[in-house]
């Protein structure tokens, strides 16, 4: 069963919010962001939380792919930056 994860808003201006039904844990989750050309822009491991946010304020307008890796789940979300 795949947990429900919501990533919003898209298009994003400043902050991208992530809400999920994963159980909170000190087990690290990875957040990875690539631009449309596949260039790695952001990679961070942090304790997993049901609510998180990513600062997109300095990102250039365009299309990005946000990867959330937690335990055995790997989810990818397409996000547009205004």
């Amino acid at each position: 069963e795949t947990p429900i994860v919501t990533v919003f808003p898209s298009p994003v201006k400043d902050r991208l919010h992530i809400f999920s039904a994963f159980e909170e844990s000190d087990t690290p989750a990875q957040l990875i962001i690539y631009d449309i050309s596949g260039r790695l822009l952001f990679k961070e491991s942090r304790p997993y939380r049901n609510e998180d946010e990513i600062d997109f304020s300095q990102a250039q307008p365009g299309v990005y792919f946000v990867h959330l890796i937690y335990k055995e789940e790997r989810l990818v979300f397409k996000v547009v930056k205004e």
Side-chain angles (χ1 to χ4, degrees), residues 35-52:
D35 67 12
I36 191 81
S37 67
R39 185 175 39 155
L40 177 66
L41 301 176
F42 177 87
K43 183 176 182 179
E44 182 176 286
S45 289
R46 52 176 124 176
Y48 181 77
R49 299 294 173 249
N50 290 79
E51 298 180 23
D52 208 342

Side-chain angles (χ1 to χ4, degrees), residues 48-64:
Y48 181 77
R49 299 294 173 249
N50 290 79
E51 298 180 23
D52 208 342
E53 64 180 29
I54 302 170
D55 183 3
F56 260 79
S57 63
Q58 301 300 313
Q60 295 296 315
V63 177
Y64 295 86

Side-chain angles (χ1 to χ4, degrees), residues 9-47:
S10 185
V12 61
K13 288 184 179 184
D14 297 320
R15 298 234 176 244
L16 184 72
H17 300 276
I18 301 171
F19 290 97
S20 80
F22 284 120
E23 183 176 327
E24 286 195 7
S25 169
D26 288 332
T27 301
Q30 281 194 325
L31 284 172
I32 306 168
I33 302 174
Y34 296 95
D35 67 12
I36 191 81
S37 67
R39 185 175 39 155
L40 177 66
L41 301 176
F42 177 87
K43 183 176 182 179
E44 182 176 286
S45 289
R46 52 176 124 176

